[in-house]
Amino acid sequence: MRIGIPRALLYYNYYPFWKIFFESLGHEVVLSSPTNKKILKDGLESTVDDACLPVKVFHGHVIDLINTVDAVFIPRIISVESGEFICPKFLGLPDMIRNSVAGLPRIIDCELSLYRNKTGFMEHAIRVGRLLGNSTQEALRAYLLASSKYNSYKKFRVKNGRLPIDEGDKSFFEVTAPDYSKYKDGSFKFNVLVLGHPYNIYDRYVSMNLIKKLQDFGAKIITPEIIPERNISAGAKKLNKKLFWTLGKNILGSAYYYMDNCKLDGIVHVASFGCGPDSLVGELLERKVSRDYSLPFLYLNLDEHAGEEGFNTRLEAFVDILERRRCGESNVSSHG
Amino acid sequence: MTGCYLGIDVGSVSTNFALIDENGNLLKKLYLRTAGRPIEAITNGLKMIQESFEDDIKIMGVGTTGSGRKLAAVIVGADVIKNEITAHAVACITEYPDTRTILEIGGQDSKIIILRDGVVVDFAMNTVCAAGTGSFLDRQAQRLGIPIERFGDIALMSQNPTRIAGRCAVFAESDMIHKQQMGYKVEDILKGLCQALVRNYLANVAKGKEIKSPVVFQGGVAANTGIKRAFEEELGMEIIIPRYFDVMGALGAAILAKKFMAQNKRAKTKFAGFEAAFREHTAGSFECQGCPNLCEVVQIYVDGKLVARWGDRCGRWSADMAV
Ligand code: SF4
Ligand code: SF4
């Protein structure tokens, strides 16, 4: 079977696992194209107005797959860590897609909740395998293979600081060369922590190439995806209250850990228009960063209407602040 | 012949010029309407400067800023191309080094810049919402049949301002029309509008920012005494309006050009000369069919020769160009 995976939402987290899992069960995995103008437009047209931008983009990716695959994989995700939840939008995603996209192929829709169940991921994978007509045995074997490869991928990612960014049409998982060979360590001018949903910060179209632009200004980019999980948890412990959202925990935990333990020159927080969780996390973060650490902080809101011009202006002004702190008052760069 | 530095700020509503001498004194400022034709505004400005000085000046450096900073750089030849936040801040602290807050409301956007010890530490910018900008005030003044220059003074006469809903331009406008029909006095409506704009600005652009004095208010709207007063009342602070409040971006760009040239003593200015104003500039664009992004690629020709391209997401068209 040709199984389509939309290059959106949790693609940036779990694609390596599912690719290996499906392939070892003898299926072919097809990715939607990297986000482009048409995908965004299709997504905007097929969704209700109050959906957040990433969910709209997800719709566009499903539409991009319609004519090329036998099934689209859209799990119904409730929780990816024990005792935590993710945003409720993921829970209704398969239904939302069925309601708003016409001419769909089969949807592989299977619930995942690790809230009370640590081994739930294995069970989830086995159920997905069985939905595809495989035996429990086969699915279990595929699960073991995929999870061991997925874990070594994650280790590799953290160890090498390899951000999950696609290159051209190639998925981040297939790009093996280190991504910024042109920046040798030590040649970075600043360390910048970029925080936000993986599907915002790594989607080159939606983020208007934020990471690449910052790298071109000489920034070394740190994100939660390349910070060891134990450090994120250590950082998250500093919160006054336990955060029950995995995503908010990752963002705030990374920020707190980094601000206390590493040299950091600035923080960029990327939020999407129409995202409740983001605005909450953003406010907590901004207050903390400016009050307790007086670090430069840039808040970027991704919005389908926002022009690239204003986005670049903000970015350049932020880099000017970093530049000033680095070299003192006198230096003027000719660009930016 | 005096050595001078030229700053140009190209926005969607206005295109401004500032010319300073070696000591930083302003010799000339221009505030021109962009009116959808930035190339014309830029070349007209150049001609006007040349006419007023003939051969008395020598341009030693050029800085550009604003949303059209790249375009201006291509046409005029620029040594520094700077974002408008930095440019505004530089102009402000040159005149008021102690500034800790800059409120800026221009024709097309509004910003807040927070400085501490003479350095920018934070900023925010609104480019989406029209309710907080000069164009909106212009439009309302026009609708009420009041010259924009008198807007502020009339608003100051109000004893009993009308409350206008200012959350968004559409609401504000319909609310105003409603209040007008109900027979409220013009000065009360104008004052109400000033208050609504200030509330809207503080709740959106300045959200979460710590406004400390000295506070400087600049941008075209700073000419409006009604808005200035509304800020003072709302913040309970004195508001400073700099001498050249309407061309601060351009002034900042000129100052940056001067600093840059002082740092790079051997560099020769990239200024293309006043002849640039008489060349034929055309901007065209096409839709790239290279991939589903269908980028709108802008091309600038000078005397029929392609000199710059931008707007492509992948660098396919702009990579081999200088700007
Ligand atoms: S967390 Fe925010 S951006 Fe993500 S799906 Fe939920 S609402 Fe959308
Ligand atoms: S310029 Fe590049 S990104 Fe844009 S449509 Fe052409 S090929 Fe695609």
Side-chain angles (χ1 to χ4, degrees), chain B residues 300-320:
Chain B
I300 310 291
Y301 292 87
V302 176
D303 288 339
K305 206 176 129 247
L306 180 66
V307 296
R309 266 185 187 142
W310 59 76
D312 49 342
R313 283 211 173 226
C314 63
R316 170 180 175 153
W317 301 101
S318 57
D320 52 342

Side-chain angles (χ1 to χ4, degrees), chain A residues 52 54 87 89-90 197 199 272 275:
Chain A
C52 61
C87 165
K89 297 239 163 102
F90 288 90
H197 303 277
Y199 42 82
S272 33
C275 170

